Amino acid sequence: MPEKRVSPEAIEGIRSLHKQYPDKFPTPKLSQLFNISVEAIQRILKSKWKPNAKELKKRAENWEKRGGAIWQNNIEMGEVQTKLMKKTATLERRKREELGKTFVDTKKRYEQEVSTPFLGDIRNRML
């Protein structure tokens, strides 16, 4: 089994690039561009099989399912963030920042109240 799957669109792209510009896109260059082995490029170029309309539709559906499964797996592993995840993280960060500001403001007010002479005098009288 190949190390990396190549989409049907990429396969068509490999074939068309090599057919139109064989001097610009020899097998090693295509291998580098598509990040697959030279042997895989040779197999793609050698193969003349083309799916009929029914097979093409089924392959497209399977490719979409595979893409969705890979995307979901990446989300679960934490490698990718969805828009909702980013929005939630942003809201949580803003909330923490606001709480931090409130805490700092409250602390400053407390320190100011404690350092005022009037309150200090009252505290000394109570002791």
Side-chain angles (χ1 to χ4, degrees):
M1 181 138 180
E3 292 179 15
K4 180 179 175 184
R5 287 193 176 191
V6 183
S7 71
E9 291 84 14
I11 291 172
E12 289 303 314
I14 290 169
R15 287 178 179 157
S16 65
L17 282 173
H18 188 70
K19 186 176 182 178
Q20 291 176 4
Y21 310 103
D23 296 334
K24 267 188 172 179
F25 296 104
T27 307
K29 179 76 172 179
L30 288 170
S31 173
Q32 290 175 350
L33 285 174
F34 288 91
N35 198 20
I36 55 177
S37 69
V38 174
E39 293 81 21
I41 296 289
Q42 289 171 344
R43 284 194 305 268
I44 289 168
L45 295 175
K46 186 178 178 182
S47 171
K48 302 298 178 198
W49 180 81
K50 300 250 183 187
N52 62 29
K54 187 177 179 181
E55 290 171 336
L56 194 60
K57 183 179 177 184
K58 185 171 178 155
R59 286 177 63 141
E61 289 172 1
N62 288 342
W63 190 257
E64 288 297 319
K65 280 185 204 174
R66 181 178 183 275
I70 289 172
W71 182 257
Q72 187 62 37
N73 187 32
N74 288 343
I75 290 172
E76 289 170 2
M77 291 178 65
E79 295 175 5
V80 179
Q81 284 190 333
T82 62
K83 287 182 181 178
L84 179 62
M85 291 168 74
K86 287 179 183 177
K87 188 174 183 179
T88 304
T90 303
L91 291 174
E92 287 175 357
R93 182 177 41 81
R94 286 182 184 161
K95 189 175 182 180
R96 280 194 311 271
E97 288 173 356
E98 285 299 318
L99 286 174
K101 288 178 186 174
T102 305
F103 175 75
V104 170
D105 292 344
T106 306
K107 185 176 177 185
K108 285 180 182 175
R109 274 188 274 141
Y110 174 75
E111 288 172 353
Q112 288 172 352
E113 289 173 2
V114 170
S115 65
T116 56
F118 178 72
L119 290 175
D121 290 341
I122 292 174
R123 211 177 287 130
N124 287 337
R125 288 181 198 161
M126 293 173 71
L127 296 172

